[in-house]
Amino acid sequence: MQSSAAFLGHPPSGEARPAALDARLDRVRQLLGVDGAALAFAGSQAMQILWQAGVSGQIAKDLAELHAHAAQGTGPLVIADTGRGAVRFYAGIPVTFGEGEPLLLSLFDARPRSAAMAGQLGILAQEVFGGDSEQRSQAMIVRLESELAEREQAIADLLATRRRQLELFERASKTARIGVWECDLSDNSLTWSNGVYDLFEFPVGSVVTREETLRCYSDASREAMERARAKAIAECSDFSLDAEITTVKGRRRWMRLTGTVETRNGVATRIFGMKQDITEEKLLADRTRYLAEFDVMTGLANRSQFQARLAELDTRPIGALLLADLDNFKQINDTYGHALGDECLKEAAARLRDACPAAELVARIGGDEFAVLLGHETTPGQIEAVAERIVAEIGKPFMRLGQMLTLGASVGVAYPDGSPAPDLFKRADTALYAAKAAGRNTSRTFHAGPQHTVN
């Protein structure tokens, strides 16, 4: 409320000013929920404002026209929606103070009101200022001020509750490592809760662009996320995926990203959702999968993975199956103990990988038993060369725990011919035992036919 009088016409002279009217008018304006109010003489077509709040610029011009219209009548003028200009809602209420000249109270707002709401505001304003009794008006203002104070207290209580709920949400989010995010599609601006800032390790509350966050994604995760996001926007649907990121402080993390597209008139306008740190979950899942598929000691595929791959021969053919047993391993294990025996297994696994780098699968399938699956494009000559290389590599002496050790390897080779996987394994096993029978540290191949041969 301005403390000095403002005029659109000529100011009146010698007018008395009711005490604290500025503050009371402003309080009533707040209670009625309108942008502004003005008190002016009602008897003049030119609007002479005595006291006002929120009157300036285009509003003053629009208000002057509405005042002139209201001044022509004898009762209140309430317009729910003027349909144009800076003033959309208007209420003109005739008022008097004691024996003074009739005045016109103008209430206005940039937002239109419904007809019912406009009528209620007009009635309330008339009840406050209408009639000849200033004493009644004063009493009504006191009541309204009390109601306004109660509403303000209710709002304060609501805000306090909201703050407590937000604090509780932030604590729960931090415990669950979850954050809420939002992207305005008109300019790609981002809004994050503290949990998302913590996930990416940006300073909480800082302005972060979408381009900055995209640089945190791994290449594969960024491509997958952009595809899912574009599809969701095009279809106005949801999306979810797990993505790998590197925080601004250089830490690698995994997060679960969910998003929902919000539309307006069929057009995507906003995406919002959650981002959760699942790094520990991912590491545990990877570890569990590793233990299920790999031999912990040697790092090779385990028997379970080998059998699963062998069962796919019909759809994923191979060139050959090689089985290898370590010679002299039991003697070394019994003589020097399990610790040195484990070192022998690790060395044998490493040499086996080196001997057949192009193999589809190298697995430890038993104590000192290994299997190799070669690709279907491998020629018989290359297969025989791999078997010989395995024997040669594993047979080289090596030093472990102060002991010079020498292992040997017997290798059995079998070629697939459309027979079931168990038959192929039996043929390779037959060839392996033939190699052992031939003096060990050598290889043998099973040749299928009416009269199969092993040589």
Side-chain angles (χ1 to χ4, degrees), residues 135-438:
Q135 185 177 10
R136 187 164 69 97
S137 298
Q138 296 284 357
M140 181 62 70
I141 290 175
V142 170
R143 181 177 68 80
L144 292 175
E145 287 177 341
S146 176
E147 291 180 2
L148 180 59
E150 291 178 0
R151 292 191 183 187
E152 289 175 345
Q153 184 59 50
I155 292 173
D157 293 343
L158 183 62
L159 290 175
T161 300
R162 173 62 177 163
R163 283 193 296 269
R164 287 194 297 271
Q165 290 175 340
L166 183 59
E167 181 181 355
L168 180 61
F169 171 79
E170 290 292 354
R171 288 181 178 179
S173 297
K174 188 171 184 178
T175 301
R177 298 181 179 180
I178 294 176
V180 177
W181 66 277
E182 174 186 334
C183 179
D184 186 337
L185 294 180
S186 65
D187 57 5
N188 276 333
S189 59
L190 301 175
T191 302
W192 286 355
S193 70
N194 292 352
V196 181
Y197 281 106
D198 293 341
L199 177 59
F200 284 87
E201 295 194 304
F202 282 102
V204 173
S206 61
V207 177
V208 181
T209 65
R210 185 167 185 269
E211 289 69 26
E212 288 177 299
T213 65
L214 288 177
R215 287 195 289 269
C216 295
Y217 286 75
S218 68
D219 291 342
S221 290
R222 181 170 54 254
E223 292 174 5
M225 185 274 294
E226 291 286 54
R227 284 196 305 270
R229 181 180 186 270
K231 183 174 183 291
I233 292 174
E235 298 177 353
C236 297
S237 59
D238 305 337
F239 69 96
S240 176
L241 76 156
D242 293 348
E244 182 183 18
I245 64 170
T246 300
T247 73
V248 292
K249 294 184 179 180
R251 294 183 178 89
R252 288 184 61 201
R253 287 177 175 169
W254 279 89
M255 70 174 180
R256 180 155 296 139
L257 169 63
T258 63
T260 298
V261 175
E262 183 179 272
T263 64
R264 185 173 300 166
N265 298 324
V267 177
T269 59
R270 182 173 72 111
I271 306 179
F272 63 93
M274 294 190 300
K275 294 179 179 180
Q276 181 180 16
D277 186 344
I278 60 166
T279 305
E280 293 183 1
E281 176 186 334
K282 182 71 173 177
L283 292 176
L284 179 60
D286 289 346
R287 179 63 176 169
T288 302
R289 183 165 52 252
Y290 180 86
L291 293 175
E293 298 179 353
F294 291 89
D295 176 60
V296 176
M297 181 184 298
T298 63
L300 299 178
N302 60 16
R303 188 179 187 91
S304 176
Q305 188 180 168
F306 165 73
Q307 290 177 329
R309 176 63 183 90
L310 199 63
E312 298 175 341
L313 288 182
D314 291 340
T315 56
R316 297 174 59 194
I318 61 172
L321 166 62
L322 286 69
L323 296 181
D325 265 12
L326 299 182
D327 300 328
N328 302 326
F329 173 75
K330 186 176 185 304
Q331 180 181 354
I332 292 174
N333 203 46
D334 291 345
T335 302
Y336 299 104
H338 292 293
L340 198 56
D342 291 347
E343 292 300 314
C344 289
L345 291 173
K346 294 175 185 177
E347 181 67 23
R351 294 186 179 190
L352 195 59
R353 276 193 296 260
D354 293 341
C356 42
E360 280 198 14
L361 189 73
V362 180
R364 180 188 176 201
I365 60 174
D368 61 349
E369 301 172 2
F370 299 86
V372 178
L373 297 178
L374 298 178
H376 71 280
E377 295 181 351
T378 312
T379 66
Q382 292 171 331
I383 293 169
E384 298 299 330
V386 168
E388 293 174 4
R389 194 158 56 244
I390 291 173
V391 173
E393 287 296 321
I394 291 182
K396 294 177 181 179
F398 62 97
M399 180 72 73
R400 279 293 183 280
L401 302 180
Q403 300 291 331
M404 181 62 69
L405 304 171
T406 301
L407 290 171
S410 297
V411 179
V413 181
Y415 294 91
D417 61 353
S419 300
D423 291 346
L424 179 64
F425 187 89
K426 289 179 182 178
R427 294 171 182 176
D429 198 44
T430 298
L432 172 63
Y433 277 93
K436 289 181 176 291

Side-chain angles (χ1 to χ4, degrees), residues 7-52:
F7 299 90
L8 293 181
H10 297 289
S13 60
E15 291 296 330
R17 182 189 185 100
L21 185 59
D22 285 0
R24 289 179 177 175
L25 281 176
D26 196 43
R27 295 282 281 180
V28 170
R29 178 187 65 80
Q30 294 178 38
L31 179 61
L32 298 180
V34 294
D35 291 341
L39 193 62
F41 287 118
S44 175
Q45 291 281 327
M47 187 177 187
Q48 297 178 341
I49 297 180
L50 299 176
W51 300 279
Q52 60 91 1

